[in-house]
Amino acid sequence: MFEMKQFRLDGLTALVIGGGSGIGREIALGFRSAGATVLVSGRDEAKLAAVSGELGQAVRASYPGDARSVSGLAKIADAIEADHGALSILVNSQGTTTIKPALEFSEGEYDAILDTNLKSVFFACTTFGRRMVER
Protein backbone atom coordinates (compact mmCIF):
# COMPACT_ATOMS: atom_id res chain seq x y z
CA MET A 1 0.00 0.00 0.00
CA PHE A 2 1.27 3.46 -0.96
CA GLU A 3 1.60 5.74 2.05
CA MET A 4 2.22 9.44 1.57
CA LYS A 5 4.03 9.67 4.92
CA GLN A 6 7.08 8.18 3.20
CA PHE A 7 7.32 11.33 1.11
CA ARG A 8 6.80 13.94 3.84
CA LEU A 9 9.07 16.98 3.88
CA ASP A 10 8.09 18.38 7.28
CA GLY A 11 10.82 20.51 8.84
CA LEU A 12 12.65 21.04 5.53
CA THR A 13 12.97 24.33 3.65
CA ALA A 14 12.87 24.20 -0.15
CA LEU A 15 13.69 26.90 -2.69
CA VAL A 16 12.24 26.67 -6.18
CA ILE A 17 14.00 29.03 -8.56
CA GLY A 18 11.53 29.72 -11.35
CA GLY A 19 8.72 28.95 -8.91
CA GLY A 20 6.48 31.76 -10.10
CA SER A 21 4.87 29.83 -12.93
CA GLY A 22 4.69 26.62 -14.90
CA ILE A 23 6.46 23.52 -13.66
CA GLY A 24 8.22 25.48 -10.91
CA ARG A 25 4.90 26.64 -9.48
CA GLU A 26 3.57 23.09 -9.47
CA ILE A 27 6.72 21.78 -7.76
CA ALA A 28 6.42 24.51 -5.11
CA LEU A 29 2.79 23.64 -4.43
CA GLY A 30 3.64 19.93 -4.31
CA PHE A 31 6.45 20.49 -1.81
CA ARG A 32 4.09 22.54 0.34
CA SER A 33 1.48 19.77 0.32
CA ALA A 34 4.26 17.41 1.48
CA GLY A 35 4.89 19.67 4.48
CA ALA A 36 7.97 21.68 3.44
CA THR A 37 8.41 25.37 3.99
CA VAL A 38 8.56 26.54 0.39
CA LEU A 39 10.33 29.60 -0.99
CA VAL A 40 10.10 30.79 -4.57
CA SER A 41 12.46 32.96 -6.56
CA GLY A 42 12.36 34.50 -10.00
CA ARG A 43 12.30 37.78 -11.90
CA ASP A 44 8.53 38.39 -11.96
CA GLU A 45 7.51 39.76 -8.56
CA ALA A 46 3.78 39.65 -9.33
CA LYS A 47 3.92 35.94 -10.19
CA LEU A 48 5.99 35.21 -7.09
CA ALA A 49 3.49 37.08 -4.91
CA ALA A 50 0.61 35.09 -6.37
CA VAL A 51 2.34 31.77 -5.71
CA SER A 52 3.32 32.90 -2.21
CA GLY A 53 -0.36 33.47 -1.50
CA GLU A 54 -1.22 30.02 -2.83
CA LEU A 55 1.37 28.44 -0.55
CA GLY A 56 -0.54 29.74 2.47
CA GLN A 57 2.44 30.03 4.78
CA ALA A 58 2.97 32.46 7.63
CA VAL A 59 6.54 33.17 6.51
CA ARG A 60 8.16 35.22 3.77
CA ALA A 61 8.17 32.97 0.73
CA SER A 62 8.99 35.28 -2.19
CA TYR A 63 12.59 36.12 -3.10
CA PRO A 64 12.67 38.15 -6.31
CA GLY A 65 15.97 38.25 -8.14
CA ASP A 66 17.81 37.41 -11.29
CA ALA A 67 19.38 33.95 -11.17
CA ARG A 68 21.46 34.83 -14.25
CA SER A 69 23.60 37.00 -11.98
CA VAL A 70 26.06 35.30 -9.61
CA SER A 71 25.90 38.27 -7.25
CA GLY A 72 22.09 38.18 -7.48
CA LEU A 73 22.11 34.53 -6.43
CA ALA A 74 24.34 35.35 -3.47
CA LYS A 75 21.89 38.08 -2.37
CA ILE A 76 18.99 35.63 -2.59
CA ALA A 77 20.96 33.03 -0.59
CA ASP A 78 21.89 35.59 2.07
CA ALA A 79 18.29 36.78 2.42
CA ILE A 80 16.97 33.23 2.71
CA GLU A 81 19.53 32.29 5.38
CA ALA A 82 18.71 35.47 7.32
CA ASP A 83 14.98 34.74 7.18
CA HIS A 84 14.89 30.92 7.39
CA GLY A 85 18.29 29.56 8.31
CA ALA A 86 19.60 26.55 6.42
CA LEU A 87 18.13 25.62 3.06
CA SER A 88 17.44 21.89 2.66
CA ILE A 89 16.28 21.58 -0.94
CA LEU A 90 17.11 23.51 -4.12
CA VAL A 91 15.11 23.06 -7.31
CA ASN A 92 16.29 24.79 -10.46
CA SER A 93 13.15 25.22 -12.52
CA GLN A 94 14.11 28.39 -14.33
CA GLY A 95 14.07 28.26 -18.08
CA THR A 96 13.37 30.20 -21.22
CA THR A 97 13.40 29.78 -24.97
CA THR A 98 12.78 31.65 -28.17
CA ILE A 99 10.64 29.95 -30.78
CA LYS A 100 11.98 30.69 -34.22
CA PRO A 101 14.28 29.10 -36.80
CA ALA A 102 17.88 28.67 -35.61
CA LEU A 103 19.14 30.57 -38.65
CA GLU A 104 17.31 33.66 -37.40
CA PHE A 105 18.79 33.69 -33.87
CA SER A 106 20.90 36.63 -32.83
CA GLU A 107 23.90 36.15 -30.58
CA GLY A 108 22.08 38.09 -27.85
CA GLU A 109 19.05 35.80 -27.99
CA TYR A 110 21.27 32.74 -27.83
CA ASP A 111 23.21 34.17 -24.87
CA ALA A 112 19.98 35.01 -23.01
CA ILE A 113 18.77 31.42 -23.33
CA LEU A 114 22.08 29.93 -22.18
CA ASP A 115 22.37 32.42 -19.32
CA THR A 116 19.00 31.30 -17.99
CA ASN A 117 18.99 27.61 -18.86
CA LEU A 118 22.63 26.76 -18.20
CA LYS A 119 24.64 29.45 -16.43
CA SER A 120 22.01 30.26 -13.81
CA VAL A 121 21.47 26.58 -13.00
CA PHE A 122 25.19 25.92 -12.60
CA PHE A 123 25.81 28.95 -10.40
CA ALA A 124 22.65 28.37 -8.33
CA CYS A 125 23.98 24.88 -7.59
CA THR A 126 27.40 26.22 -6.60
CA THR A 127 26.05 29.18 -4.61
CA PHE A 128 23.56 27.17 -2.56
CA GLY A 129 25.52 23.92 -2.72
CA ARG A 130 28.60 25.49 -1.15
CA ARG A 131 26.49 26.47 1.87
CA MET A 132 24.88 23.04 2.04
CA VAL A 133 28.27 21.26 1.89
CA GLU A 134 29.61 23.48 4.71
CA ARG A 135 26.71 22.36 6.93
Side-chain angles (χ1 to χ4, degrees):
M1 172 183 247
F2 180 78
E3 295 185 34
M4 205 50 200
K5 69 181 180 181
Q6 296 170 330
F7 297 97
R8 297 295 303 168
L9 299 173
D10 301 289
L12 300 179
T13 302
L15 169 63
V16 182
I17 300 176
S21 62
I23 294 169
R25 176 185 167 274
E26 295 303 318
I27 291 169
L29 295 173
F31 278 3
R32 183 66 189 134
S33 69
T37 298
V38 180
L39 315 174
V40 291
S41 184
R43 294 186 302 245
D44 190 324
E45 292 187 44
K47 288 181 180 180
L48 295 176
V51 172
S52 293
E54 289 181 85
L55 293 170
Q57 303 172 126
V59 298
R60 176 181 175 195
S62 175
Y63 291 85
D66 189 346
R68 299 172 299 181
S69 160
V70 176
S71 63
L73 286 164
K75 288 177 187 175
I76 294 166
D78 290 343
I80 287 171
E81 283 191 356
D83 292 346
H84 301 281
L87 186 67
S88 308
I89 301 165
L90 170 66
V91 176
N92 285 293
S93 187
Q94 66 271 39
T96 191
T97 193
T98 298
I99 306 296
K100 67 183 197 180
L103 296 177
E104 296 175 14
F105 265 76
S106 71
E107 182 178 357
E109 290 168 325
Y110 178 84
D111 288 344
I113 292 168
L114 287 189
D115 283 352
T116 300
N117 298 354
L118 183 62
K119 177 184 171 184
S120 72
V121 172
F122 178 83
F123 283 107
C125 288
T126 61
T127 298
F128 289 94
R130 182 175 292 111
R131 296 165 191 240
M132 291 174 171
V133 168
E134 288 173 0
R135 285 190 288 278

